[in-house]
Amino acid sequence: MYKKLLVVVDDRAVTQSAIWQGIELARFHRADIFFFCVLPKNVFSNSDLLQVGETSPDEFERTAREHATRLLADASALAEGAGVFCHTATGIGADDAQCVSEAANHRHCDLIVVGTEGHNAVVRLLTGSIVSGLISIATVPVLVCRDTEATRGSGRRASVAIRAKYRRDERRERRERHAGEEND
């Protein structure tokens, strides 16, 4: 069903749940993953009265790109360890949700996977969560993952179901091979 998944990567703890859910889905559907990180915008202008730091806009962008590269490399290592083919990309835009939606459309993705802490709408608005905007804007389905207690983020029930599906597929393939050998 899914051929390409876009997984939104950032430095929140809940992102690990979204990454593992995306990896499990990609393994199940034999899909590719695009790990995508939205770069932060430098919201401080040179004319601010209080200087937050002596960081130039170029230095801010370089630091943000290095941080995003580390996050994407970690996610890629998890996917490759699970046998899932993946790509990485970064983007920047005036609206983070629009940026993610455009990246999914540009890469012809079938699903967007994003994590959420599950707070109420006011807290999500104040913390800058893109989930509500992404659900409204995206032209492809959006899977919203909450943080789980499980180490791999997909929860025990989902992991058991996925392993059972793999075993059924393997048994069916062995039967088909065996039937093909008998016919020869």
Side-chain angles (χ1 to χ4, degrees):
M1 179 174 177
Y2 299 120
K3 298 294 181 199
K4 295 180 184 177
L5 309 175
L6 185 132
V7 178
V8 180
V9 176
D10 55 34
D11 56 1
R12 296 174 303 145
V14 71
T15 300
Q16 290 301 311
S17 180
I19 290 169
W20 278 113
Q21 188 71 28
I23 289 171
E24 292 294 327
L25 280 168
R27 284 178 56 193
F28 183 79
H29 292 282
R30 294 186 173 100
D32 293 345
I33 292 182
F34 287 93
F35 290 114
F36 187 74
C37 186
V38 179
L39 297 174
K41 295 167 274 314
N42 189 356
V43 294
F44 302 105
S45 69
N46 292 335
S47 63
D48 285 339
L49 295 176
L50 289 174
Q51 289 294 325
V52 175
E54 295 300 322
T55 306
S56 68
D58 294 336
E59 178 69 18
F60 178 83
E61 183 179 344
R62 186 186 63 74
T63 303
R65 285 193 184 281
E66 287 174 359
H67 183 65
T69 301
R70 280 192 304 273
L71 293 173
L72 293 169
D74 291 345
S76 294
L78 293 173
E80 289 171 4
V84 175
F85 187 72
C86 64
H87 307 274
T88 62
T90 59
I92 191 166
D95 179 24
D96 292 351
Q98 184 69 36
C99 184
V100 170
S101 178
E102 288 173 0
N105 289 338
H106 178 71
R107 289 166 177 80
H108 307 288
C109 293
D110 306 308
L111 179 71
I112 299 171
V113 182
V114 65
T116 186
E117 284 91 2
H119 299 298
N120 66 29
V122 174
V123 174
R124 284 194 307 266
L125 180 66
L126 293 174
T127 59
S129 176
I130 67 168
V131 173
S132 58
L134 189 57
I135 291 170
S136 300
I137 294 171
T139 58
V140 297
V142 178
L143 174 64
V144 180
C145 302
R146 292 182 184 249
D147 195 14
T148 62
E149 300 286 327
T151 58
R152 292 211 168 176
S154 59
R156 178 170 166 60
R157 189 175 303 159
S159 295
V160 169
I162 290 171
R163 283 194 302 270
K165 164 73 168 92
Y166 286 137
R167 280 190 233 117
R168 282 193 306 270
D169 288 348
E170 288 173 0
R171 283 194 300 264
R172 186 186 46 167
E173 289 173 8
R174 274 189 263 147
R175 279 194 302 267
E176 290 172 357
R177 275 195 312 257
H178 184 65
E181 291 172 359
E182 288 179 356
N183 291 337
D184 289 337

